[in-house]
Amino acid sequence: MQKRNGFIGHMVFWESLLPKDKWNILEGPPVWRQIRPHMSFLIQPPLIAQALMRIYKESNDEKFLMEMLPKIKKYYHWVAANRDFDGDGLLSIISNFESGLDHKPSFDEVVGYRDAKPTDKYFWKIIWIQFRNFTKWYKLRKIYRANVFVVKETLFNTMYVQDLRALADVCRVAKDKDAEKYEELAHKVATRIIELMYDEETAAFYDVCGPENKKLKVLTFTIGIPIIMKEISKKIAHEILERHFLNEEEFNLTYPIPSVAKSEPSFDPHDSRFLWRGPTWPVINWFLYRSFKANGFETHARSLLQAMKDLIEKSGFREFYNPFNGKGYGAKDFTWSGLVVDMMESEER
């Protein structure tokens, strides 16, 4: 489904009566008989090169790696050309759904919602963002100029740094000349994350929005995600971990780590259709487990693993959990909880 220009959509719709783009009605059979795959116009957080590298390390399938490499390079060429609006290396998202953190409280200010808890009013504000993008036919420069929802999100850009480095590693395996180009771009993006997103006073990394790069100061788990980057000093990493993630008034709850600090007005530990506003998600522990270990917090890394085991034993493989009582919410038999296996294998190694 990758387009010729390199674009890969956030979702592939395998069966739908809707045309895959606005001109599709002019092609082939009548639209009511067009049951064909098509993609959304949004993008996913960039993890594709890391996925390829993990597959290669486990399988040693060089043929598959060589087949995928030009496709991934093409995708990252599209990403850099189309989502780095300001030319500073950082990528912008144009929808809350591109972040992977659908209703993250730091987006509330961007969509113009001021109440702590989301309601139907909030829901329609989110829908309005998607509608505005649609009416512009997802023409990215028009969307950027309108500046309705243009956010440089912390997790998204940290993943981008890590993925560029994975892509550089893939290039080295393939003896591809572009390895250093991707390594240099990763360093540029990481440096810019520190310059624009880090707030020294509160010891946290924040999302920024608009051309002015305004910090969205809400304590979500992403305030510490960039510490996995090698450009972050041990001093900054330790201050973030000790001040926030080991703080029982913020993130160090019975079953850590909640997606939003307990001290935030938007914090809601219960099940809700508005996601990422309080409960503990397994993927957060998996991501921060590596960050804790990389900065010498071995004991606390093991406590995140133990929390995962306890949650699964108590409530099964669920999408997310209550950080106080461990009750499981969302989808059942959800694969993200299976990341506990990766964490266990890391401990054994």
Side-chain angles (χ1 to χ4, degrees), residues 117-134:
K117 304 296 188 244
T119 61
D120 286 345
K121 181 182 176 182
Y122 168 83
F123 172 79
W124 287 110
K125 282 182 175 290
I126 291 293
I127 294 299
W128 176 244
I129 300 293
Q130 321 315 316
F131 180 72
R132 287 286 299 265
N133 290 340
F134 176 77

Side-chain angles (χ1 to χ4, degrees), residues 13 15-21 24 31 34-38:
F13 302 96
E15 294 181 351
S16 174
L17 292 174
L18 297 174
K20 66 178 177 179
D21 58 48
N24 205 44
V31 67
Q34 289 181 18
I35 311 294
R36 64 172 74 177
H38 62 280

Side-chain angles (χ1 to χ4, degrees), residues 134-347:
F134 176 77
T135 58
K136 291 178 170 49
W137 291 114
Y138 291 91
K139 299 296 183 186
L140 295 169
R141 283 292 158 185
K142 286 185 177 180
I143 290 170
Y144 175 66
R145 285 194 294 272
N147 191 27
V148 175
F149 189 105
V150 179
V151 176
K152 294 169 183 173
E153 200 271 330
T154 315
L155 177 63
F156 196 98
N157 279 281
T158 302
M159 286 179 172
Y160 183 44
V161 170
Q162 297 302 98
D163 224 52
L164 287 169
R165 293 212 154 106
L167 182 52
D169 289 339
V170 171
C171 287
R172 291 183 187 105
V173 171
K175 295 181 172 55
D176 185 288
K177 60 181 175 57
D178 287 333
E180 288 312 307
K181 179 179 81 172
Y182 296 119
E183 191 69 53
E184 288 170 9
L185 180 55
H187 179 69
K188 175 185 175 181
V189 178
T191 302
R192 198 64 175 148
I193 286 173
I194 298 168
E195 291 171 355
L196 286 184
M197 296 179 168
Y198 186 63
D199 183 72
E200 193 170 343
E201 183 181 349
T202 57
F205 287 91
Y206 296 109
D207 304 341
V208 298
C209 69
E212 69 279 13
N213 293 309
K214 180 184 178 182
K215 288 187 177 72
L216 303 169
K217 292 190 174 183
V218 181
L219 294 176
T220 72
F221 78 97
T222 62
I223 61 164
I225 288 296
I227 68 174
I228 201 168
M229 303 184 311
K230 65 183 183 181
E231 284 81 3
I232 305 299
S233 69
K234 290 287 185 185
K235 180 179 180 295
I236 288 177
H238 281 222
E239 187 166 4
I240 292 172
L241 291 173
E242 290 171 353
R243 188 164 167 179
H244 299 292
F245 292 107
L246 304 185
N247 183 348
E248 293 181 356
E249 295 304 312
E250 293 185 3
F251 292 97
N252 191 16
L253 306 186
T254 309
Y255 296 98
I257 287 174
S259 42
V260 179
K262 186 178 78 168
S263 57
E264 285 289 345
S266 58
F267 173 74
D268 180 3
H270 306 291
D271 194 8
S272 169
R273 63 179 172 143
F274 301 110
L275 305 178
W276 300 97
R277 300 182 75 92
T280 293
W281 292 68
V283 72
I284 296 176
N285 281 11
W286 175 74
F287 212 105
L288 287 172
Y289 168 83
R290 294 185 294 162
S291 298
F292 274 63
K293 293 198 80 165
N295 287 282
F297 288 78
E298 297 282 344
T299 303
H300 298 97
R302 282 193 290 274
S303 72
L304 294 186
L305 171 56
Q306 189 59 51
M308 283 282 294
K309 290 179 178 180
D310 293 343
L311 286 169
I312 292 166
E313 186 174 354
K314 181 180 178 65
S315 300
F317 290 87
R318 299 300 296 268
E319 189 175 2
F320 49 96
Y321 303 85
N322 187 300
F324 295 119
N325 59 32
K327 185 177 180 180
Y329 299 135
K332 296 179 180 179
D333 300 326
F334 199 69
T335 52
W336 270 3
S337 298
L339 289 167
V340 69
V341 176
D342 191 60
M343 295 163 73
M344 289 163 66
E345 287 187 343
S346 178
E347 280 298 307

